[in-house]
Amino acid sequence: LLAGRVSLFTGDRSPSWLAALAERHPGLTALTDTDHDATLASLDLPSLTLPPVPDTTTSAAPIPTIPADRLAAIVFTSGSTGEPRGVVQTYGNLLANTRSIVAYLGLGPADRAMAILPLHYCYGLSVLQTHLYVGGSVYLEPRSMYPRVVLDGIAGEGCTGFAGVPLTFELLRRQCDVAAAPRPRLRYVTQAGGAMAPETIRWARRSFHPALLYVMYGQTEATARLAYLPPERGEEKAGSIGVAIPGVELRVLGPDGRELPAGEVGELVARGENVTAGYLGAPEETAATFRADGLHTGDLARRDEDGFFFIAGRAKEMLKIGGHRESPARIEQVALRHPDVLEAAVAGIPDPVLGEAPAIFVVCRPERSAGERELRAFCRQHLPAHCVPVAVRFLPALPRNAAGKLLRQELVRLALRGEP
């Protein structure tokens, strides 16, 4: 893929469409089961054996060099804070991001990833790209909503790596005894796609042991990845997104553009070859986000004395409650400490006195039934008065997009309509 060549595997014995496709794309190589008996008839086979490839090194044309600034892909953001935007990614961006991830995960030809994330999502795409780059393999499992099937696949396919978003791990925690499941070759697990509850992180670290858990942070605007938390520092630096990946510089900047000292909260800004050129057809948004000093992530963060970064909230999602600027994450983390709460998300709603007030949306654990008064009283014990939610809504599930990211704007719409 990164070299610019494409191979297509199909089980169609009469691919009438293939001739037209090959005419439009002369570089396409197609292997059908008519050429190789029935070996490629099903991608559900536990292994795929192909006849030996003839040695063509003396006659094959050299792989062309692709300029780093050439357009490779347009990947749309999740739209979790607004309308999706097309991010323009170059071959240079893909290569830089791929090499960085390969480096800190220590990937090699023997690695095989269990891939359940959509490939139109930059996290899922990076799993594919990194394993292709090192000559490893990827097992595509489309039944991600069936956690037991996923666990069986990790064992049966000899997967060494597994990547998921917070919802992935919540489903596994709710439905499976992961610690008791066989995972003979699994050596690492990665989590990105939004902040995961601290208790779920601790559960994942225990349940997947001895596989190592990498908590990661990134954005589509940076191709995929910006930071990772080294597993050996996971407990010591709980709540941190970690350190910058190889080849990336992260800084916390104040409103005047100056770098802030350790402990102070400002905007997280990134520089590196994986930072993309901008948004498709949106010059004003591009100029606001991709500046001379780097990619302005829109996330508020602080850096500790050891150089580890902690997200304090989303600048564009900060609540303005009676003159106080508060992060929804602060309220959510308190609510998640209640034993009945499985998931929690906060949205700001108009308030005639405070200007804006927090409303919280809660998914309860099975066979648990905390009430609105109980949850508000619990929050009152651990939060200042202005942070206590003015409304508590119970949902069977939080609204999420296809990649599993929370749709906070949908919560705002639900709150404004007064829907449960």
Side-chain angles (χ1 to χ4, degrees), residues 65-128:
T65 300
I66 299 177
D69 60 353
R70 179 177 292 179
L71 173 65
I74 299 171
V75 181
F76 281 78
T77 62
S78 64
S80 56
T81 58
E83 291 299 318
R85 293 165 295 185
V87 177
V88 178
Q89 298 181 352
T90 66
Y91 281 96
N93 296 148
L94 294 179
L95 189 57
N97 185 72
T98 296
R99 285 174 171 168
S100 295
I101 298 172
V102 166
Y104 72 76
L105 290 182
L107 298 178
D111 279 302
R112 167 175 283 192
M114 163 61 75
I116 64 170
L117 302 172
L119 298 182
H120 60 74
Y121 173 33
C122 66
Y123 185 13
L125 192 56
S126 71
V127 173
L128 175 66

Side-chain angles (χ1 to χ4, degrees), residues 19-85:
L21 188 63
E23 185 176 345
R24 293 178 59 188
H25 303 279
L28 181 69
T29 300
L31 300 176
T32 71
D33 63 354
T34 55
D35 297 323
H36 299 291
D37 201 9
T39 348
L40 301 178
S42 172
L43 294 179
D44 290 329
L45 294 173
S47 62
L48 194 62
T49 305
L50 295 176
V53 178
D55 183 6
T56 58
T57 54
T58 57
S59 58
I63 296 176
T65 300
I66 299 177
D69 60 353
R70 179 177 292 179
L71 173 65
I74 299 171
V75 181
F76 281 78
T77 62
S78 64
S80 56
T81 58
E83 291 299 318
R85 293 165 295 185

Side-chain angles (χ1 to χ4, degrees), residues 40 64 73 109 165 190 222 239 259 267 313 317 328 333 351 390 402 414:
L40 301 178
V165 296
T190 64
E259 185 169 5
E267 186 175 12
E317 294 176 356
Q333 289 168 5
D351 184 273
V390 297
L414 289 175

Side-chain angles (χ1 to χ4, degrees), residues 367-387:
E367 301 180 0
R368 299 290 184 95
S369 56
E372 179 175 353
R373 289 186 179 180
E374 180 184 346
L375 284 177
R376 293 187 74 246
F378 183 82
C379 289
R380 195 175 291 113
Q381 294 175 16
H382 303 283
L383 290 167
H386 66 272
C387 287

